[in-house]
Amino acid sequence: MAKHEVVALYLSLALGGAFCHSSVAAAPDPASTSISQNALPAPEKAISDVAQPGQVSINDATAEQLSAVMNGVGLKKAQAIVSYREQYGPFSAIQQLSEVPGIGNALIERNAGRLKL
């Protein structure tokens, strides 16, 4: 590795990778792998307590959580989902979201991987 690439690598590591060049970014960093192997394990949680990354429960989430995770759903539509849930009770199927005003089948299909009951 050329001297300027080594300097750039150290500089990018020191600055948190903010100024990392693409040619340097492809180079593996052996120091980071050894640090991650020596890190303390995260506390264990029950499997039912751990949600899939990027998923949100339509029966438990707040309007803010729904709007943050769902593609094409802002705070107004998310609040409509929460209001519907409060008025009619929990959803029994994800497809039931189509009964919420402003939520169509295309929106449900687009977010199917992000939703759970």
Side-chain angles (χ1 to χ4, degrees):
M1 201 184 285
K3 183 178 178 181
H4 70 279
E5 288 179 334
V6 172
V7 171
L9 176 63
Y10 286 129
L11 182 61
S12 67
L13 291 173
L15 296 174
F19 300 108
C20 189
H21 298 281
S22 61
S23 63
V24 177
D29 181 16
S32 67
T33 56
S34 64
I35 292 171
S36 64
Q37 291 171 350
N38 294 330
L40 296 174
E44 292 187 27
K45 288 188 173 184
I47 293 175
S48 61
D49 294 342
V50 179
Q52 295 296 321
Q55 278 195 329
V56 65
S57 170
I58 59 175
N59 285 326
D60 298 325
T62 64
E64 291 80 11
Q65 292 168 331
L66 288 167
S67 66
V69 173
M70 293 179 71
N71 185 7
V73 174
L75 199 51
K76 187 174 180 180
K77 283 184 183 180
Q79 185 56 49
I81 294 170
V82 172
S83 296
Y84 183 92
R85 181 179 73 207
E86 289 172 352
Q87 185 175 0
Y88 298 104
F91 294 96
S92 57
I94 293 173
Q95 193 60 33
Q96 192 179 2
L97 279 173
S98 64
E99 297 173 14
V100 177
I103 307 293
N105 288 330
L107 187 66
I108 297 169
E109 289 174 19
R110 185 180 333 142
N111 289 287
R114 296 179 174 111
L115 303 175
K116 66 178 186 170
L117 291 177

